[in-house]
Amino acid sequence: MKVTMVMLTSVDGKTTKGNDTNIYTWSSIEDQKHFFSLIKKNNLIVMGRGTYEASKPVIKLEKGKLRIVLTRSPKKYFKQLVRNQLEFSNETPKKLIERMATLGYKKILLVGGATINGLFLKHNLVDELYLTIEPRIFGIGKNITEGQLLNKSLQLISIKKLNKTGTLLLKYQLNK
């Protein structure tokens, strides 16, 4: 199964502006277009609980598109569950991939957050990374990964300047 991670950071590598998890207050329109084009192209999207909580206002459920939220407490979200559209699981990334493969899925779009990203990377499950770098410096905020000691090597595939202010879209392949 192909796993594509997509993340947005400031120049200093922060995925949040301090404690503010609303990336739409500082991400460029061009990055948002790129992100939502990836959402449109993928029918299996995986995220962590924190990303789900931060993204709830913009998530539009639709038939044929499954979003899975990895959380330690899936029962807590039972009332929000929408079968085959929004599901909650405490599976390991490897078990999730195995289960999704048996259901016929061929690719996953991994949209964060830091803990989930770290788990997928630790177990060599990520194939490629789209990383948007916004020309901002926050100093304080969350990182792309958290909770795992990692030493991953990547190969740059492409660089694209998205706008006049210098928002960059980098595409990497992970060396496994």
Side-chain angles (χ1 to χ4, degrees), residues 19-75:
N19 291 326
D20 182 4
T21 58
N22 184 357
I23 61 168
Y24 301 105
T25 63
W26 60 273
S27 63
S28 63
I29 291 169
E30 295 82 4
D31 173 66
Q32 292 175 33
K33 284 181 183 176
H34 167 71
F35 179 75
F36 286 110
S37 76
L38 290 174
I39 294 289
K40 191 174 189 172
K41 291 177 193 171
N42 286 273
N43 62 352
L44 178 56
I45 301 156
V46 175
M47 68 191 83
R49 180 209 43 87
T51 301
Y52 169 68
E53 295 291 349
S55 303
K56 254 199 274 193
V58 297
I59 292 176
K60 293 177 177 62
L61 299 180
E62 55 189 285
K63 290 183 179 174
K65 188 174 300 290
L66 175 58
R67 288 175 171 82
I68 297 179
V69 179
L70 293 177
T71 173
R72 291 180 189 99
S73 308
K75 290 178 183 175

Side-chain angles (χ1 to χ4, degrees), residues 53-119:
E53 295 291 349
S55 303
K56 254 199 274 193
V58 297
I59 292 176
K60 293 177 177 62
L61 299 180
E62 55 189 285
K63 290 183 179 174
K65 188 174 300 290
L66 175 58
R67 288 175 171 82
I68 297 179
V69 179
L70 293 177
T71 173
R72 291 180 189 99
S73 308
K75 290 178 183 175
K76 178 180 172 183
Y77 295 93
F78 181 75
K79 290 183 179 177
Q80 296 174 47
L81 180 131
V82 179
R83 289 263 176 239
N84 301 315
Q85 292 183 47
L86 178 62
E87 298 179 4
F88 301 86
S89 173
N90 60 1
E91 293 168 286
T92 65
K94 188 174 181 183
K95 289 283 185 202
L96 175 68
I97 287 173
E98 288 170 359
R99 181 170 66 90
M100 292 295 105
T102 64
L103 295 174
Y105 290 95
K106 303 217 182 302
K107 54 186 183 168
I108 290 176
L109 185 66
L110 180 64
V111 298
T115 302
I116 298 305
N117 289 345
L119 288 171

Side-chain angles (χ1 to χ4, degrees), residues 105-160:
Y105 290 95
K106 303 217 182 302
K107 54 186 183 168
I108 290 176
L109 185 66
L110 180 64
V111 298
T115 302
I116 298 305
N117 289 345
L119 288 171
F120 272 79
L121 287 164
K122 177 183 177 182
H123 296 287
N124 295 317
L125 301 172
V126 178
D127 298 294
E128 64 184 13
L129 165 65
Y130 281 104
L131 179 65
T132 300
I133 302 175
E134 292 286 0
R136 312 283 296 258
I137 296 175
F138 298 136
I140 298 174
K142 292 188 177 184
N143 298 310
I144 292 173
T145 65
E146 180 181 294
Q148 304 293 329
L149 178 60
L150 302 169
N151 183 15
K152 298 296 170 192
S153 174
L154 296 88
Q155 175 70 42
L156 183 64
I157 303 300
S158 65
I159 302 172
K160 184 177 179 183

Side-chain angles (χ1 to χ4, degrees), residues 5-18:
M5 180 187 298
V6 58
M7 288 301 296
L8 166 72
T9 72
S10 60
V11 169
D12 59 341
K14 303 303 176 192
T15 61
T16 63
K17 186 177 175 184

Side-chain angles (χ1 to χ4, degrees), residues 158-163 167-171:
S158 65
I159 302 172
K160 184 177 179 183
K161 185 176 174 184
L162 296 182
N163 57 32
T167 300
L168 299 177
L169 174 60
L170 310 175
K171 183 178 179 183

